[in-house]
Amino acid sequence: MRWSQTLIPTMKETPEGAEIPSHVLMLRAGLIQQVMAGAYTYLPLGWRALRKAEAIVRDEMDRAGGVELHMPALTPITLWERTGRKEAFGSVLINFKVRRANREIHLALGPTHEEVITDLVSRFVSSYRQLPITLYQIQTKFRNEERPRFGVLRTSEFLMKDAYSFDTSVESLAASYDRMYAAYCRIFERCGLEYLAVEAESGPIGGDASHEFMVLADNGEDVVVHCPACGYAANLERAEIGAAKSGAAKAIGSATLQKVDTPKVGSIEQVSKLLGCQPAQMIKTLIYVADDKPLAVLLRGDHDANEGKLRRAVGATKLELASPAVIEQVTKAPVGFAGPVGLSIPLWADRDVAAVADAVVGANEADKHYTGANLGRDFTVAADHFADLRNAGAGDACPRCGQSLALRHAIEVGHVFKLGTKYSDALGAKFLDDTEQQRTIIMGCYGIGINRILASLIETRHDEQGIVWPMALAPYEVLLAPLNVAQEDVMQAAEQLHDELTAAGIDVLLDDRDQRAGVKFKDADLIGFPLRVVIGGRSLKEGKLEIKWRWESEPTLIPLEGAAAALAELVRKARETPNTAK
Ligand SMILES: [Zn+2]
């Protein structure tokens, strides 16, 4: 391809509204163009990179036994009503009515395709002989994103690979899941991404049933809890806290319980400021409603409740923070003054609460707190109501090895999940087993955000000059930069190299613009082609070409004679090591 024949609108300045490197660089390198908030055109270079990511995903899905199909983005709302997800998605589900002849038809743009695929399988799969099967597609998905931002990382329209496995047993599902998990590892390795597979919320199957594939990046919106010592990794919802530092011995205080005035001051920060104490000396009391029954949760003032852990500890199916009305009813005080002393609903406590002596707590009375509150004397929590109920923090003990945990920002690029029978139950996907018993099909679902592969890659592989593409996803592997396009011998050498490399199956772009070398080199570094070949100047007179890898600082010379074969060989070698650029 010749530069002058394609469309590569590079930019010198940082575009307005672009906050993070991947967004800035994708715009500046001419990979994408914003059409409106959260909607981008992939320009020729961006589209080539995206298609390469897609091809790797497809290749590995096929290798893992997945079968590709294609479902419509436009779906009937009735499918979403049957599973209750019209309501569960709420405003995220883009849906609208259109007129067809005299009828009004209610449609939704699929944010995911469990409903469509399960309905399909319920129609055509009826026997255990047809199972297991894993079906997948690569398709545009739609979510009404409240705050589209960070370029292609958070958009209302995005390209997803979504796969769904259908099995006859939990054991068979585990095998399908493991195949997908292994395929995901190969995909991200081939793309040159450094990722972590982190434990995530397990859902209905329980156990080790869900993993998120995360790329560690400072601008990532997710937080991963990671143990550098043993490799334990989990997302914030899921991460357990080891017993080594938590659950410390019960502290006994000596202060007397005293009611103090805290007028119009209800938050932890305000109270600690007013009373001159640290948040860690306070015990906060949160009122939840678990399966329609109120309960109180005690946490150290500087800790955050983890609702997933709380729901599991309490054994509730539905759990939410109580409304102000419920809080006022159970505490007899306005919101902000709840405390454990004298509270008559069940009390649960995070393990760390036991170590807080002479605590400051709400007094269940407007504008009042207690100081000197002590567990066991002023309020009690049953021994089996102590649990790990908070989010892990940096420095907490690893649940596996006891060393300190670290918190890292990350971008989620993939997710594998054991679904169970939620959709097959709702949509009647059943099979006859080998004893002619009718049973429900057990499902798993597996997603990869293709756009996010590009964004997270650029987020983690760039320098001050621009993107540093790995071979696997680079829009073009080799850039040919003739120094003076008006010079006949220069262009002749460049054209010949272009044709020979193309014939050898190498992705080549020939920068045939009549531009100064400085302009060409700047653009080459900004876009980040892995191998730059300079043709012209003194080197060419000496029968040589100057070549430079994007990730190396100095160029080297190779003979013009036989250059195409030598370059092709270099490219093939570089393709075999996805992480060369690091
Ligand atoms: Zn560890």
Side-chain angles (χ1 to χ4, degrees), residues 318-329:
K318 205 174 139 218
L319 179 106
E320 57 190 9
L321 271 173
S323 65
V326 171
I327 294 172
E328 280 168 33
Q329 194 193 338

Side-chain angles (χ1 to χ4, degrees), residues 505-526:
I506 311 290
D507 288 332
V508 197
L509 181 67
L510 170 57
D511 189 351
D512 57 349
R513 293 175 298 166
D514 187 8
Q515 287 281 8
R516 285 181 295 111
V519 173
K520 290 189 178 189
F521 293 176
K522 268 214 165 64
D523 276 347
D525 282 348
L526 173 60

Side-chain angles (χ1 to χ4, degrees), residues 231-559:
Y232 171 78
N235 69 14
L236 204 54
E237 290 79 53
R238 169 82 179 181
E240 299 156 40
I241 300 166
K245 288 186 188 167
S246 195
K250 184 175 170 294
I252 318 260
S254 53
T256 47
L257 189 68
Q258 254 188 327
K259 197 181 277 184
V260 295
D261 286 327
T262 50
K264 295 194 173 66
V265 160
S267 78
I268 293 286
E269 294 74 34
Q270 292 168 330
V271 175
S272 67
K273 210 179 230 175
L274 182 76
L275 299 180
C277 66
Q278 294 297 317
Q281 278 174 267
M282 301 180 62
I283 295 173
K284 65 178 161 193
T285 306
L286 303 174
I287 311 295
Y288 279 89
V289 176
D291 295 338
D292 300 327
K293 292 195 191 78
L295 59 86
V297 178
L298 308 182
L299 293 154
R300 214 172 77 185
D302 57 336
H303 287 159
D304 293 319
N306 182 306
E307 293 186 1
K309 291 179 180 179
L310 180 60
R311 194 178 57 246
R312 281 192 295 277
V314 172
T317 43
K318 205 174 139 218
L319 179 106
E320 57 190 9
L321 271 173
S323 65
V326 171
I327 294 172
E328 280 168 33
Q329 194 193 338
V330 301
T331 66
K332 318 265 187 302
V335 175
F337 298 93
V341 181
L343 206 56
S344 59
I345 53 173
L347 283 184
W348 286 77
D350 178 67
R351 293 177 306 194
D352 286 352
V353 165
V356 187
D358 298 335
V360 173
V361 298
N364 298 321
E365 194 179 322
D367 301 337
K368 302 279 184 201
H369 276 75
Y370 281 120
T371 60
N374 281 290
L375 176 69
R377 185 190 71 188
D378 306 314
F379 62 96
T380 50
V381 176
D384 60 353
H385 279 201
F386 275 98
D388 171 12
L389 298 178
R390 66 178 176 90
N391 286 340
D396 279 330
C398 169
R400 299 279 161 77
C401 75
Q403 295 294 307
S404 282
L405 292 170
L407 296 189
R408 303 286 304 271
H409 283 276
I411 296 166
E412 184 186 339
V413 288
H415 192 183
V416 291
F417 189 73
K418 290 181 183 170
L419 266 178
T421 56
K422 178 180 173 183
Y423 298 98
S424 36
D425 273 333
L427 297 164
K430 297 186 188 308
F431 69 99
L432 288 176
D433 68 12
D434 55 0
T435 63
E436 296 286 305
Q437 296 287 314
Q438 195 175 56
R439 290 162 55 194
T440 304
I441 298 178
I442 302 175
M443 292 173 59
C445 67
Y446 317 89
I448 290 181
I450 313 272
N451 318 74
R452 285 185 160 210
I453 291 180
L454 293 199
S456 61
L457 194 95
I458 295 169
E459 205 56 48
T460 52
R461 294 171 75 133
H462 66 269
D463 59 17
E464 279 173 17
Q465 278 70 47
I467 303 167
V468 183
W469 287 107
M471 292 303 276
L473 300 186
Y476 289 94
E477 297 167 309
V478 177
L479 178 79
L480 301 177
L483 287 180
N484 185 348
V485 297
Q487 221 171 302
E488 208 172 305
D489 60 331
V490 170
M491 273 319 275
Q492 201 186 351
E495 295 277 359
Q496 192 182 338
L497 213 46
H498 171 270
D499 294 349
E500 286 174 7
L501 285 172
T502 304
I506 311 290
D507 288 332
V508 197
L509 181 67
L510 170 57
D511 189 351
D512 57 349
R513 293 175 298 166
D514 187 8
Q515 287 281 8
R516 285 181 295 111
V519 173
K520 290 189 178 189
F521 293 176
K522 268 214 165 64
D523 276 347
D525 282 348
L526 173 60
I527 296 165
F529 305 104
L531 187 58
R532 187 188 77 191
V533 181
V534 178
I535 303 138
R538 208 177 60 204
S539 316
L540 190 67
K541 285 200 181 76
E542 290 166 5
K544 296 209 168 89
L545 299 175
E546 185 196 286
I547 68 168
K548 186 175 112 46
W549 293 101
R550 176 65 179 84
W551 48 85
E552 284 176 359
S553 53
E554 293 304 319
T556 53
L557 294 173
I558 62 161

